[in-house]
Amino acid sequence: LARGGVGATRDGLYLDLALEAQARLLAERLGSHIDVRSAALAVTLLFEGLSLSIEASELRAAASDLVAMLGREGTHESMRASAAAARVRGCLAGVADVFVKLQPRAETLGAALRQATPEALPEAWAVSIFSEELARGGPGFAVSLLLSTYERQLRNILGAEAWQMVSVTDRRLGKLVVVPQERGGD
């Protein structure tokens, strides 16, 4: 697209926006009405698309983990798929953090625009939810919707509750120690 000049870049941008809108529509319509394999495939495809939109090696590695688990069955494989899904969930949280970091800039820009326009727009409430709406409207939202369905289905296969952590290691018993402050940390 870069070789085609401004027109090709614009077309590529419109294509990207259309694909994001279609992915969101797909995720919202499918909801919880799909089986675990279809959910895994949909999450994988959407997440791979997200990893192309946002430059981050962790996103690509998490997508690779998820792809490796496609089509595999069994308890051990379901545990590994659950771990891969948790890694994807962590990556999605990182993407949302990027949007949250934009909020101070939105506040500053919104205040400047309100002073410069006779209508005092944009309204303060709209600016206050800018990063939340940006995350909700972005490509990670569709992935998150389907990922929730996929994780719920994996927990059902494993007989786990929503609050349980899934690990491929043997059950371990131990003592939880609360550390009020990390020594030598940042």
Side-chain angles (χ1 to χ4, degrees):
L1 290 174
R3 293 184 197 146
V6 175
T9 302
R10 183 184 60 237
D11 291 345
L13 178 61
Y14 288 147
L15 175 62
D16 190 44
L17 290 171
L19 289 173
E20 280 184 24
Q22 189 63 32
R24 182 182 171 118
L25 183 64
L26 171 76
E28 289 173 350
R29 284 190 178 168
L30 289 176
S32 59
H33 305 292
I34 58 175
D35 60 74
V36 70
R37 285 181 189 220
S38 298
L41 181 60
V43 166
T44 301
L45 292 173
L46 291 174
F47 194 69
E48 281 189 53
L50 177 65
S51 68
L52 293 173
S53 299
I54 298 172
E55 186 60 37
S57 59
E58 181 64 18
L59 289 172
R60 285 189 299 281
S64 176
D65 284 352
L66 210 52
V67 168
M69 298 316 302
L70 282 176
R72 301 203 178 181
E73 294 182 12
T75 303
H76 184 72
E77 287 76 12
S78 294
M79 285 185 207
R80 290 189 57 146
S82 183
R87 187 173 186 188
V88 168
R89 176 77 60 198
C91 287
L92 287 175
V95 170
D97 287 345
V98 170
F99 296 139
V100 170
K101 290 178 184 175
L102 294 175
Q103 186 62 38
R105 291 181 182 172
E107 299 282 346
T108 303
L109 182 60
L113 286 171
R114 272 194 302 282
Q115 289 178 352
T117 60
E119 301 86 15
L121 295 174
E123 295 179 31
W125 68 266
V127 174
S128 70
I129 61 170
F130 171 79
S131 61
E132 183 181 322
E133 291 299 317
L134 192 60
R136 192 176 289 134
F141 186 73
V143 177
S144 181
L145 284 175
L146 285 172
L147 185 61
S148 294
T149 297
Y150 181 52
E151 288 175 317
R152 184 174 49 256
Q153 291 170 341
L154 287 172
R155 283 192 305 274
N156 286 342
I157 289 169
L158 294 168
E161 297 295 326
W163 51 267
Q164 287 180 297
M165 293 184 69
V166 177
S167 174
V168 294
T169 61
D170 294 330
R171 173 185 254 181
R172 304 283 183 213
L173 298 176
K175 182 178 178 183
L176 177 65
V177 178
V178 177
V179 180
Q181 186 175 0
E182 199 175 317
R183 279 190 242 160
D186 296 356

